[in-house]
Amino acid sequence: MSVVSTDLRNVAIIGHNETGKTTLVEQLLFASNVISRAETIESGKTTSDYTEEEIAHKISIHASLASLPWEGKTVNIIDTPGTAGFIGETICGFRSCESALMVVDGRDGAQIETIKLWRHLDERNKPRAVFINKMDRDRADYTKVLENLKETFKVTFVPVVIPMGSGKDFKGVINLIENKAYLSGNGGKETVTDIPSDMVAFEEEYRNALIENAAEGADDLIEKYFEAGTLESDEIRRGLREGMDQNRVVPVFCGAAVQGSGIVSLLNFIRNNFPKPIGKLDWAKAGDGSDKEFTITGEGAAAAVVFKTTIDQFSGKLSFIKVLRGTIKGDTELYNPDVAKKERPGKVYRMVGKKLVETDSLSAGDIGVLAKSNIAFTNSTLVEGSDQKLKFKPLAFPHPIYSLAISTDDKKSEVKMNEALHKVTEEDLTFQIKYNEETKENVVAGMGELHLNMILDKVKDKQKVHINTKLPRVAYRETISKKSGIAEYSHKKQSGGHGQYARVLIELEPLERGEYYSFTNAIKGGSVSKGYIPGIEKGLHEQMEEGFLAGYPMMDIGVTLIDGKEHPVDSSEMAFKLAAKGAMKLALEKAGTVLLEPIMLLSVYIENDYLGDILSDLSGKRGRVLGQEDMGHLQLVKALVPQSELLNYAIDLKSMTSGTGSFEMEFDHYEPLSGKLADEVIKAYKETLKEEQEQ
């Protein structure tokens, strides 16, 4: 059945790995009678972790969609991975859902990925709530974790549900809005009862704080609170709804997902208080390429964005869409402006894990699936009618942090490997494969060692090919450090008939870093015809691409064409191209040519205990620390580090921090490289050149 837009709630379940997100989703589906039994991670049968890799590794690798009904509303849940290597899947959840539920461990509080994900939410100004899980475990401490969250994030956390005990004494939760206790047990379903007498004082303290925070959600509630000293349950809900909608408060829940505890209260709150998609903002691209706000609305021709693609061995290609305007049915004619093609989907689906559930339609704000579409790709805009001038903003994925150069033992295996890896790029936009012309290597890049290894292992297994891996060569650049003075070169060739003749005089000068290239024609008197100038520039560009010291492209060079000479018969564009190339080689010999190395902006998230080791290691990697940010028991270190020192950083950091550290990096700028390190790069280039000439 189709669902009215106002009856929709879209929630991304996010959090650090092993906080119990998938188990929580399993219990939400069980409580809403979508599944008849809540499975465990160990069983390999959970609804949202259904791929071979997820079952084998017992972690979430892909974002999965599950729709469930609750008290007349439909909740679309996206269960996301908590491991940094699969952040691309989590970003799919951010884009498609109006709110997020951050799951934290009742023993550890805010962990590294908690903080990184929270920052993603802040960047998007996305409403969120927190579920403190595993209250049944030893060392679980609700009060301590709540204080840790307040200290780490400096926002207003409002407990809505509090625990009854912890560890082996954990009995269930108290819903502060309903003033009721929910006991765990009873075949995985909760039992509602009155609050135990020994918990009344504890409950009253938290309920008073809840009412006070709820009152701040609206002016009339503040007045009512000052007059009566309390609020009714519906008034509390309204205050929290408005506070959460404006991202001023963060509701806090708790429980033990493995026992099914805390589930009903969470579902009730999602139904009553989480944001509806209608009227919320998405982003489209304006005519000048800038971002502009787009309001989700049920009015007008249908429009949707494709936020995820999977290739299923049984169902084929599945395109996950978020409807941002109008309604999409099986017979709606959809048009993709990027490929200028249209099609009717035939059927539209909801999804519960890997199970497709056919539905009549998907209304504005809904999340669903198109099967075997020939026009839908991740980041595609799909519109009803080719006259619609609309393009939604693509998902913003982070830069890859780990790369490998790959090869196979023979050409046939290489073709099979490349075909399989290019299919992966259609599903996973954080994975990249490209041939590096400079280093003559096939290079794959992704979000970490685990991310790349899983992809390569799957291809090896499925395609029966052997893949060799090594660290890739760094893509250095070359430039000049001083003016060259005038360099002159004449190209002459006579072999019967028309010959070749061109004479070029140029001078080089260094430009500011990042300006790349400039060309000035300073010839006076027309000694070289204008028609030959493009040939001269082609020669200059070719020489810059070929490099001078170590075969790397050159940059930040200004060229002035001083003079030249042509022949009425023997001159040509080709002759002037070769003359310009020769003149530039001579000029480079006198211009103080130097190597440039790429410098990366590195952000490292670590526990306090490892700070000294990290700073010492960065110093040994020629890093320049820009600063540190104290985040309670965690530290964020920012530094500028040469890329050549970071090729194995994913593995180095894992070793230094016992697997707890995490990092992000992106290209920042180029800096000159000199001395022994530059000599080694030049030597390696000459040895490679010699090997190629001998083959």
Side-chain angles (χ1 to χ4, degrees):
M1 294 291 291
S2 55
V3 179
V4 180
S5 295
T6 51
D7 289 340
L8 288 166
R9 307 288 183 270
N10 300 317
V11 186
I13 309 291
I14 64 174
H16 195 88
N17 60 304
E18 296 189 356
T19 51
K21 297 179 298 297
T22 298
T23 302
L24 177 63
V25 171
E26 195 75 0
Q27 292 290 352
L28 293 171
L29 293 170
F30 176 59
S32 57
N33 297 317
V34 173
I35 57 177
S36 58
R37 170 177 167 167
E39 295 287 354
T40 62
I41 300 295
E42 291 70 30
S43 73
K45 296 177 182 178
T46 60
T47 305
S48 53
D49 284 359
Y50 56 84
T51 65
E52 291 177 8
E53 311 98 85
E54 289 172 317
I55 293 168
H57 289 87
K58 292 182 168 48
I59 59 170
S60 296
I61 296 170
H62 309 284
S64 63
L65 171 62
S67 295
L68 62 90
W70 190 257
E71 301 292 329
K73 309 296 181 186
T74 294
V75 182
N76 289 318
I77 288 172
I78 295 200
D79 181 21
T80 67
T83 307
F86 309 109
I87 182 63
E89 297 289 318
T90 307
I91 286 171
C92 294
F94 289 151
R95 179 58 185 273
S96 56
C97 297
E98 286 71 40
S99 57
L101 180 70
M102 180 75 77
V103 183
V104 300
D105 193 307
R107 300 163 296 183
D108 302 316
Q111 295 168 274
I112 287 172
E113 291 308 310
T114 319
I115 292 170
K116 289 167 65 180
L117 292 169
W118 198 275
R119 290 183 173 218
H120 279 289
L121 294 174
D122 285 345
E123 288 167 9
R124 295 161 172 80
N125 195 29
K126 196 169 289 290
R128 70 212 71 170
V130 168
F131 187 88
I132 300 175
N133 196 16
K134 303 190 178 184
M135 289 306 305
D136 58 329
R137 301 291 180 90
D138 289 341
R139 297 189 303 106
D141 190 329
Y142 179 86
T143 305
K144 180 182 174 184
V145 167
L146 186 59
E147 287 306 310
N148 166 256
L149 293 171
K150 290 177 179 177
E151 179 187 338
T152 304
F153 298 117
K154 309 294 190 292
V155 296
T156 304
F157 288 93
V158 182
V160 175
V161 171
I162 57 174
M164 292 189 289
S166 63
K168 64 179 184 299
D169 296 323
F170 178 72
K171 299 178 182 64
V173 300
I174 295 172
N175 186 315
L176 298 173
I177 298 176
E178 299 172 10
N179 243 353
K180 291 290 183 182
Y182 283 77
L183 301 177
S184 55
N186 192 27
K189 300 271 179 152
E190 295 172 282
T191 304
V192 187
T193 184
D194 291 332
I195 298 169
S197 57
D198 61 337
M199 298 293 296
V200 170
F202 180 65
E203 186 265 350
E204 280 183 359
E205 178 187 342
Y206 277 101
R207 192 165 199 272
N208 290 335
L210 170 72
I211 292 170
E212 190 174 326
N213 281 296
E216 293 176 5
D219 290 342
D220 64 312
L221 294 181
I222 292 177
E223 291 178 21
K224 166 81 183 289
Y225 175 65
F226 281 139
E227 289 173 6
T230 188
L231 296 175
E232 300 298 323
S233 294
D234 285 345
E235 292 170 328
I236 295 172
R237 291 190 185 97
R238 177 160 67 89
L240 292 177
R241 180 163 57 248
E242 294 182 16
M244 185 181 179
D245 199 49
Q246 296 163 20
N247 213 3
R248 288 188 289 102
V249 300
V250 178
V252 181
F253 303 85
C254 69
V258 74
Q259 293 184 12
S261 178
I263 303 302
V264 172
S265 295
L266 176 61
L267 280 169
N268 286 341
F269 194 89
I270 289 173
R271 179 204 182 278
N272 294 320
N273 299 80
F274 271 45
K276 306 177 185 72
I278 284 291
K280 292 295 178 285
L281 296 178
D282 203 273
W283 295 92
K285 304 300 285 186
D288 61 359
S290 63
D291 297 338
K292 65 176 183 179
E293 292 180 350
F294 183 92
T295 303
I296 300 174
T297 175
E299 303 299 320
V305 63
V306 182
F307 65 87
K308 176 178 166 63
T309 304
T310 64
I311 311 295
D312 184 82
Q313 60 176 325
F314 301 111
S315 304
K317 177 182 167 185
L318 301 177
S319 304
F320 292 71
I321 64 169
K322 172 73 175 282
V323 182
L324 299 174
R325 186 177 68 194
T327 299
I328 292 179
K329 300 179 179 180
D331 61 354
T332 304
E333 188 171 82
L334 296 174
Y335 176 76
N336 181 345
D338 289 338
V339 297
K341 290 182 179 178
K342 57 188 177 182
E343 71 176 12
R344 286 185 170 86
K347 294 178 180 179
V348 291
Y349 300 93
R350 297 191 174 286
M351 209 155 187
V352 179
K354 64 181 177 181
K355 181 183 175 185
L356 289 168
V357 181
E358 189 178 343
T359 185
D360 297 337
S361 63
L362 297 171
S363 58
D366 211 345
I367 299 171
V369 173
L370 307 180
K372 300 177 182 175
S373 172
N374 293 315
I375 67 166
F377 310 94
T378 302
N379 280 330
S380 292
T381 295
L382 302 178
V383 292
E384 184 180 10
S386 56
D387 59 333
Q388 299 290 317
K389 303 299 181 187
L390 183 61
K391 173 70 178 171
F392 291 115
K393 182 182 178 181
L395 283 76
F397 292 106
H399 300 279
I401 61 170
Y402 185 60
S403 300
L404 289 171
I406 58 171
S407 61
T408 55
D409 298 332
D410 56 75
K411 192 68 180 175
K412 185 178 177 182
S413 295
E414 184 181 352
V415 170
K416 289 172 70 177
M417 175 190 74
N418 284 336
E419 284 180 355
L421 290 175
H422 277 98
K423 281 185 180 177
V424 174
T425 63
E426 190 176 342
E427 294 185 74
D428 183 354
L429 271 64
T430 61
F431 173 74
Q432 300 173 4
I433 175 170
K434 62 182 178 181
Y435 181 73
N436 191 321
E437 290 285 352
E438 299 165 32
T439 63
K440 305 294 186 289
E441 293 174 321
N442 261 325
V443 178
V444 291
M447 299 313 299
E449 183 191 16
L450 178 64
H451 183 212
L452 286 192
N453 285 347
M454 279 195 172
I455 290 171
L456 295 177
D457 287 347
K458 187 175 179 181
V459 171
K460 288 178 193 175
D461 182 52
K462 299 287 185 186
Q463 301 300 322
K464 307 300 181 196
V465 295
H466 178 70
I467 300 177
N468 307 303
T469 63
K470 63 177 183 178
L471 292 176
R473 291 170 58 197
V474 174
Y476 294 97
R477 292 289 182 269
E478 300 179 22
T479 192
I480 58 175
S481 58
K482 62 182 180 180
K483 280 191 172 185
S484 65
I486 296 174
E488 174 186 347
Y489 186 86
S490 296
H491 175 72
K492 302 176 185 176
K493 192 172 183 182
Q494 195 70 45
S495 56
H498 287 314
Q500 293 181 31
Y501 179 82
R503 179 168 168 259
V504 171
L505 285 79
I506 63 170
E507 184 174 24
L508 307 182
E509 63 176 333
L511 299 178
E512 289 294 318
R513 195 68 66 238
E515 290 188 17
Y516 179 62
Y517 167 81
S518 72
F519 177 77
T520 304
N521 183 356
I523 290 179
K524 293 180 174 62
S527 56
V528 176
S529 301
K530 285 184 178 179
Y532 294 137
I533 301 300
I536 291 173
E537 285 211 72
K538 280 181 187 173
L540 298 174
H541 282 300
E542 278 190 16
Q543 185 57 49
M544 285 181 71
E545 282 299 310
E546 290 174 13
F548 182 75
L549 287 174
Y552 291 102
M554 309 197 77
M555 61 186 285
D556 305 333
I557 297 176
V559 185
T560 302
L561 178 59
I562 305 293
D563 201 359
K565 188 176 180 183
E566 63 183 66
H567 186 277
V569 176
D570 293 346
S571 288
S572 64
E573 186 175 313
M574 174 62 76
F576 272 100
K577 184 182 91 166
L578 295 171
K581 217 172 163 181
M584 193 168 194
K585 280 182 182 174
L586 294 175
L588 288 169
E589 290 177 0
K590 302 182 289 181
T593 316
V594 294
L595 278 175
L596 294 172
E597 66 175 339
I599 305 297
M600 311 302 285
L601 176 60
L602 178 72
S603 300
V604 191
Y605 297 82
I606 46 158
E607 294 176 359
N608 289 338
D609 294 347
Y610 301 112
L611 180 60
D613 292 342
I614 295 303
L615 294 176
S616 174
D617 180 69
L618 289 175
S619 175
K621 286 179 162 53
R622 299 185 288 134
R624 187 164 75 250
V625 175
L626 301 177
Q628 298 164 222
E629 185 180 334
D630 190 339
M631 298 181 294
H633 63 296
L634 299 173
Q635 295 282 334
L636 167 59
V637 178
K638 292 202 172 220
L640 291 171
V641 189
Q643 185 187 26
S644 61
E645 303 284 355
L646 295 174
L647 297 177
N648 230 8
Y649 198 64
I651 295 170
D652 293 345
L653 184 64
K654 184 178 179 180
S655 173
M656 285 187 289
T657 64
S658 301
T660 62
S662 181
F663 74 102
E664 299 163 347
M665 70 175 177
E666 59 184 271
F667 171 77
D668 194 79
H669 66 282
Y670 283 99
E671 279 185 9
L673 180 69
S674 57
K676 185 181 176 183
L677 292 172
D679 293 341
E680 288 174 357
V681 174
I682 295 168
K683 180 184 176 184
Y685 166 71
K686 289 178 177 177
E687 288 175 354
T688 303
L689 205 61
K690 185 180 177 183
E691 288 174 8
E692 289 175 354
Q693 289 169 348
E694 290 174 353
Q695 286 177 354

